[in-house]
Amino acid sequence: MINDFVRFFHKSFPFLITVFLWRLSIPWWNPAGILALIPVFYYTFVRPINWFVLFGLLFCFLIDYRCNLPLFWTSLFCLFYAVNGFQNYIDATHFENNSLYLFMLFIGLGLLILIFSGWTWISFINNIWLFVWLSVLYTPITASDKWVKK
């Protein structure tokens, strides 16, 4: 019985952590549940899981809905997924640091577009803060996957 629970927890952990981070929406630390982009990116590109792409697409849409951005993160996610499907030289599963730099490119590109779409100093500072915060929290959140596997 315990082995069944452990197996269930191993299989459901990526989905549970994504829902948890999305629901843990705090205006300054996790606006609109944007921290959920970390497991969405990780379990789609770095350690792909069956059917997680659709789940990640749903959560990108939910983040867009909370941010009042019509399909912004969803479109960026689809663009990165399409580029990942056509590439032959970049293999995100074998990058060091759980593909932190690729994640920083994903988040940085999105936040750069948001900075220039409505330029104010407040949005500039908020987006820089989000970039730093997401980049710092990427490593502990993705390391939790290895901790759960043990």
Side-chain angles (χ1 to χ4, degrees):
M1 180 164 148
I2 297 219
N3 287 337
D4 292 335
F5 176 74
V6 170
R7 190 176 315 119
F8 172 76
F9 185 69
H10 283 245
K11 295 282 186 182
S12 64
F13 179 74
F15 301 96
L16 294 175
I17 192 74
T18 305
V19 171
F20 174 75
L21 288 174
W22 181 73
R23 290 288 298 158
L24 187 69
S25 180
I26 301 168
W28 181 251
W29 301 105
N30 187 14
I34 200 161
L35 285 178
L37 287 176
I38 295 172
V40 164
F41 181 85
Y42 182 70
Y43 291 112
T44 300
F45 300 111
V46 181
R47 206 176 74 75
I49 294 176
N50 292 337
W51 298 100
F52 199 82
V53 173
L54 297 174
F55 191 74
L57 196 61
L58 171 69
F59 272 87
C60 285
F61 176 76
L62 291 173
I63 291 169
D64 285 337
Y65 179 74
R66 275 193 178 170
C67 287
N68 200 17
L69 296 169
L71 300 177
F72 177 74
W73 290 109
T74 307
S75 301
L76 191 63
F77 177 77
C78 289
L79 176 71
F80 263 69
Y81 190 75
V83 167
N84 187 46
F86 288 121
Q87 56 83 21
N88 288 327
Y89 302 106
I90 300 171
D91 185 13
T93 60
H94 293 96
F95 280 1
E96 59 187 35
N97 298 329
N98 292 330
S99 296
L100 173 64
Y101 299 128
L102 193 60
F103 176 73
M104 290 171 71
L105 176 70
F106 173 69
I107 291 298
L109 181 64
L111 292 176
L112 188 67
I113 293 169
L114 287 176
I115 285 173
F116 289 116
S117 68
W119 173 259
T120 63
W121 283 105
I122 299 297
S123 71
F124 177 75
I125 291 170
N126 282 340
N127 286 331
I128 295 298
W129 160 251
L130 276 177
F131 177 77
V132 170
W133 185 238
L134 286 166
S135 299
V136 165
L137 287 180
Y138 182 79
T139 301
I141 290 173
T142 57
S144 68
D145 178 59
K146 292 179 180 137
W147 177 76
V148 166
K149 292 292 179 198
K150 287 183 179 181

